[in-house]
Amino acid sequence: QVLLVESGGGLVQAGASLRLSCAASGRTFSSYAMGWFRQAPGKEREFVAAITWDGAITYYADSVKGRFTISRDNAKATVYLQMNSLKPEDTAVYYCGATRGWGSYYYRSQEYGYWGQGTQVTVSS
């Protein structure tokens, strides 16, 4: 089992940057692949970024590629999402998820068994 707590969200203007953190507690955090998803009002939860257990491979949604960077520090049991050049369409609640293995479906929320409570990101124009 793993417990996840997101932080770092806030209200910023377009073009600004934010860094989200997801602190984990539980057994063998380093064994879990991690993902960031987001959900805007009235919309489905969508994939943002994912990272393998060892940080060797990262994946990004096309909408954030080149602007967002996912990373992890297993010694601190924390995964990060650095968000640059934020746009109003990035406004959403951001969630981190953990999975023992996603196979080929890192972009599917159904593959993640553990979720944090989310942190709000609001980008104004």
Side-chain angles (χ1 to χ4, degrees):
Q1 294 184 342
V2 58
L3 300 177
L4 307 173
V5 180
E6 303 95 335
S7 63
L11 173 63
V12 299
Q13 293 186 339
S17 297
L18 283 174
R19 188 180 75 159
L20 306 184
S21 298
C22 177
S25 62
R27 296 182 180 180
T28 58
F29 169 78
S30 61
S31 296
Y32 291 84
M34 303 292 296
W36 283 99
F37 290 72
R38 65 188 183 186
Q39 188 167 21
K43 297 184 178 180
E44 299 292 327
R45 186 171 298 189
E46 67 173 349
F47 168 74
V48 176
I51 189 168
T52 56
W53 67 271
D54 58 356
I57 306 174
T58 58
Y59 304 91
Y60 298 94
D62 288 341
S63 60
V64 306
K65 192 172 299 181
R67 299 188 298 121
F68 291 10
T69 302
I70 187 172
S71 62
R72 67 189 297 162
D73 186 339
N74 287 347
K76 296 181 178 179
T78 302
V79 63
Y80 304 96
L81 184 68
Q82 178 66 46
M83 305 185 295
N84 298 327
S85 302
L86 283 163
K87 304 175 180 179
E89 50 262 45
D90 295 319
T91 296
V93 177
Y94 284 70
Y95 300 89
C96 65
T99 178
R100 294 295 299 273
W102 55 52
S104 299
Y105 303 102
Y106 58 86
Y107 54 87
R108 287 173 26 166
S109 62
Q110 296 91 332
E111 300 300 318
Y112 297 80
Y114 304 96
W115 295 95
Q117 296 299 310
T119 184
Q120 176 70 231
V121 172
T122 303
V123 184
S124 64
S125 60

